[in-house]
Amino acid sequence: MKDKKKFILRILPLALIFVLFLCILNVVKVQCMELSNNIKCGDIDKSGDINISDGVILKKYLANVAGITVDKAVGDVNVDGEINISDAVILVKFLAGMNVKLGADSETPTIPQKENKKLVAYFSATGTTKKLAEQVAQILDADLYEITPQNPYSSEDLNYNDSNSRANIEQNDDNARPAILGSVQNMEQYSSIILAYPIWWGQAPKIIHTFLESYDFSDKTLLPFCTSGSSPIGNSAKNLEKCCNTATIWLEGKRLSANISIEELEQWIYSSGIYNTKPEGESTADSTIKPEDTINKKEQTLKISFGQYELEAIFEKNSSADAFKELLEKGPITINMSDYGNFEKVGSLGTTLPRNDTSITTEPGDIILYQGNSITIYYDTNTWNFTKLAKITDSENLKEKLGDGTVLVTFSLSK
């Protein structure tokens, strides 16, 4: 008798599990019978079942992955005549166990408006730009993409003092377009791109030109920022705009210090225009702006004083002129200048400024940066690769005013 009871106690749990299994199987059979008329519309891979592989194929198809074709008879889940996101939503809901119908009886779901996605694309040869790009991406909750050269830059390539180094050759070649390894997948999904790069000789590296010319940025918003030892962003961003069509929206860029705090970085991002408004609870005023900065000041000019003369010059809009301004903000600079070639007065600056050399023919009154470390005042014409810093507003009889031989010239900023 005891053995019989033991047998019943042992077999009872197994019997209960078997009954439960039959119940589950019956439910599944009923569900499959209900869907039997519509399975054709969801069975993308034609395996005879609707499963996760069908959802993956449809998702890839809608993402325009090359080489995938979908039969409209099986991809058009809601039978509305086209294969679109509605089909994917219905199929995903079905696979998640939600109560949905396939085929002509399915309801077209309301697709929530997706928030505009942002991408931080950066090039970094030494790691400085990379660090800031990662921080910006974290603040913006943006995707991150590294612009990786197909041929990486070595330390010799970046030797600024070697005129034959790779970086020097590329920066002096308007047509240089270093190849990029890989590409951004589905660039069309991004409405805003933050573009980060170092400053090389006052400009963005030529690989940034390659990147911009590789995609269509029509109706996208681009926000550039750069890193450098001391050079401002200057006209580097303006020159990059030429790589895109006029339908691209460019926001004003900025040079960011490698030591910028997270708080300062957030302030810049929220004031840059990449957001229409600041996050809830934040003031829309930029707390880093000083009251005196809001005054509409007259743009500073360059004062050139020698002997009895004091001339005024208008600064060029480039990183070299900006660096010269920064130097003069510390105080006036007096240079002993002498004649050269019977067309200029030249003297050593005592330091080196970033160069934006282009082939130009000088005119009387041009203030020129030569080889990055010499300042010249032209009183006649000459054609060479120069960086123009400023232009004297009244250059009449300039040669006679400067006189023969050496002359002490003081450069300062107008007050």
Side-chain angles (χ1 to χ4, degrees):
M1 189 70 178
K2 286 184 177 180
D3 291 340
K4 188 174 182 180
K5 286 183 178 179
K6 285 182 179 179
F7 176 76
I8 293 172
L9 289 173
R10 287 177 181 175
I11 200 68
L12 185 59
L14 295 174
L16 290 173
I17 291 173
F18 182 69
V19 171
L20 181 60
F21 172 75
L22 289 176
C23 291
I24 293 172
L25 185 61
N26 186 57
V27 170
V28 171
K29 282 183 68 178
V30 170
Q31 287 183 341
C32 288
M33 288 175 64
E34 289 177 353
L35 290 169
S36 62
N37 293 331
N38 296 323
I39 197 167
K40 182 181 178 183
C41 292
D43 185 15
I44 310 295
D45 61 4
K46 300 181 182 179
S47 64
D49 189 18
I50 302 175
N51 51 36
I52 193 65
S53 72
D54 300 305
V56 170
I57 292 173
L58 189 56
K59 181 180 178 182
K60 285 185 176 180
Y61 170 76
L62 293 170
N64 298 317
V65 177
I68 294 178
T69 58
V70 176
D71 186 341
K72 180 168 283 191
V74 296
D76 185 12
V77 178
N78 61 358
V79 196
D80 64 354
E82 59 181 347
I83 304 173
N84 52 34
I85 192 65
S86 298
D87 302 302
V89 171
I90 293 169
L91 190 56
V92 169
K93 283 185 176 182
F94 169 71
L95 293 171
M98 298 176 68
N99 185 23
V100 297
K101 297 179 180 180
L102 303 179
D105 294 332
S106 62
E107 296 179 2
T108 302
T110 301
I111 312 299
Q113 191 67 29
K114 199 171 185 181
E115 184 180 354
N116 292 333
K117 294 191 68 174
K118 296 177 176 62
L119 174 71
V120 176
Y122 72 93
F123 167 68
S124 184
T126 62
T128 302
T129 310
K130 177 181 180 180
K131 176 186 173 184
L132 287 180
E134 291 173 341
Q135 291 175 337
V136 171
Q138 187 173 8
I139 292 170
L140 287 169
D141 191 23
D143 291 343
L144 192 65
Y145 172 75
E146 181 176 6
I147 302 170
T148 306
Q150 199 170 79
N151 180 19
Y153 290 88
S154 66
S155 56
E156 290 79 12
D157 291 335
L158 300 175
N159 185 356
Y160 303 154
N161 296 317
D162 180 6
S163 60
N164 292 317
S165 70
R166 175 185 170 190
N168 264 314
I169 293 172
E170 287 178 356
Q171 291 302 96
N172 288 320
D173 181 2
D174 290 339
N175 297 317
R177 296 294 184 271
I180 294 174
L181 187 66
S183 61
V184 178
Q185 297 298 311
N186 302 323
M187 177 64 88
E188 63 274 5
Q189 68 182 308
Y190 299 107
S191 61
S192 302
I193 293 91
I194 295 82
L195 185 62
Y197 56 89
I199 286 290
W200 289 2
W201 297 271
Q203 297 296 325
K206 289 301 174 64
I207 196 169
I208 302 298
H209 293 250
T210 308
F211 173 76
L212 291 174
E213 292 172 0
S214 299
Y215 304 93
D216 181 6
F217 292 98
S218 297
D219 300 321
K220 296 184 186 297
T221 299
L222 267 70
L223 172 63
F225 77 81
C226 72
T227 61
S228 70
S230 60
S231 301
I233 196 167
N235 63 352
S236 66
K238 288 294 181 186
N239 288 334
L240 291 177
E241 291 183 25
K242 301 172 186 176
C243 297
C244 302
N245 62 43
T246 55
T248 306
I249 304 165
W250 284 82
L251 299 177
E252 185 176 356
K254 184 179 177 67
R255 172 192 174 268
L256 300 180
S257 167
N259 300 316
I260 189 172
S261 68
I262 293 296
E263 292 76 16
E264 291 174 316
L265 197 55
E266 288 177 339
Q267 284 287 347
W268 171 68
I269 289 171
Y270 295 139
S271 63
S272 66
I274 204 71
Y275 282 124
N276 289 332
T277 57
K278 294 188 71 173
E280 189 175 350
E282 296 270 359
S283 168
T284 56
D286 185 350
S287 61
T288 62
I289 297 176
K290 300 175 183 179
E292 60 266 29
D293 292 337
T294 62
I295 301 172
N296 185 19
K297 297 180 179 179
K298 180 182 177 182
E299 190 167 345
Q300 282 186 311
T301 56
L302 176 64
K303 281 175 56 179
I304 305 163
S305 305
F306 54 93
Q308 60 179 321
Y309 300 104
E310 185 176 283
L311 306 178
E312 183 182 48
I314 306 299
F315 282 107
E316 289 292 309
K317 294 187 182 299
N318 59 43
S319 59
S320 307
D322 291 339
F324 192 32
K325 284 183 190 177
E326 286 185 11
L327 195 62
L328 293 173
E329 284 173 356
K330 300 174 183 177
I333 297 175
T334 299
I335 301 175
N336 191 21
M337 307 185 75
S338 57
D339 289 293
Y340 178 82
N342 201 31
F343 46 68
E344 68 179 4
K345 293 280 188 184
V346 59
S348 174
L349 182 59
T351 188
T352 300
L353 299 180
R355 297 163 64 175
N356 287 279
D357 290 350
T358 55
S359 179
I360 61 174
T361 299
T362 63
E363 298 177 348
D366 284 344
I367 309 298
I368 297 293
L369 175 68
Y370 178 63
Q371 292 189 339
N373 55 20
S374 295
I375 297 292
T376 64
I377 302 176
Y378 271 85
Y379 50 78
D380 209 331
T381 60
N382 182 33
T383 301
W384 199 255
N385 287 331
F386 298 125
T387 297
K388 193 172 178 180
L389 294 176
K391 174 75 171 181
I392 296 174
T393 55
D394 181 9
S395 58
E396 187 177 359
N397 299 322
L398 185 56
K399 182 177 180 179
E400 288 74 15
K401 291 176 181 176
L402 288 167
D404 296 327
T406 60
V407 58
L408 283 175
V409 180
T410 299
F411 297 89
S412 61
L413 293 174
S414 59
K415 295 181 179 180

